[in-house]
Amino acid sequence: QVQLVESGGGSVQAGGSLSLSCAVSGYTYSRYCMAWFRQDSGKEREAVASIDSDGSSSVADSVKGRFTISKDNTKNILYLQMNSLKPEDTAMYVCTADPVRWCGEVSRLRWTDFSYRGKGTQVTVSS
């Protein structure tokens, strides 16, 4: 049974940093496309960063230069390093994975593309 468990969210002032983690267990497939989605109340869900098992990654224009996605394959943990946070980054951040899909450009990813999803971790950025 695949499980994705996020951690690292919290409250921070604008300009600060947070590092999110997603611990993956039970995932026995040889490849993956993994992505971080976020959603705040009243806003559309947005894919902010993705990474393929070949190491290629993509970040959304809204977070480019501030967010970095990475994965430690030995520990099976997905990371999202978030720097220079802004109030508009406030959202629930959810980790997702799929064994079939190739990620490609993050702007093309949809929530329904992913077979596995975590429960999320809340990020709140105050001005």
Side-chain angles (χ1 to χ4, degrees), residues 14-109:
S17 299
L18 283 173
S19 181
L20 304 185
S21 299
C22 172
V24 183
S25 61
Y27 194 96
T28 59
Y29 305 98
S30 60
R31 68 163 314 281
Y32 58 81
C33 162
M34 296 193 72
W36 287 96
F37 281 80
R38 69 182 182 185
Q39 187 172 24
D40 196 18
S41 57
K43 297 181 181 178
E44 283 193 19
R45 187 182 287 117
E46 176 189 21
V48 296
S50 64
I51 188 166
D52 265 307
S53 48
D54 67 355
S56 58
S57 63
S58 176
V59 294
D61 289 343
S62 58
V63 303
K64 194 161 290 182
R66 301 188 296 120
F67 289 14
T68 304
I69 188 171
S70 62
K71 189 172 184 287
D72 186 330
N73 289 319
T74 58
K75 297 181 179 179
N76 228 358
I77 298 176
L78 179 72
Y79 299 99
L80 184 68
Q81 178 64 41
M82 307 186 295
N83 299 327
S84 302
L85 283 162
K86 304 175 180 180
E88 51 263 44
D89 295 320
T90 294
M92 179 70 76
Y93 285 72
V94 181
C95 168
T96 63
D98 192 83
V100 176
R101 201 197 194 291
W102 286 98
C103 287
E105 173 57 44
V106 67
S107 62
R108 297 184 177 182
L109 297 177

Side-chain angles (χ1 to χ4, degrees), residues 3-24:
Q3 284 193 315
L4 307 176
V5 180
E6 302 92 338
S7 61
S11 297
V12 64
Q13 288 196 323
S17 299
L18 283 173
S19 181
L20 304 185
S21 299
C22 172
V24 183

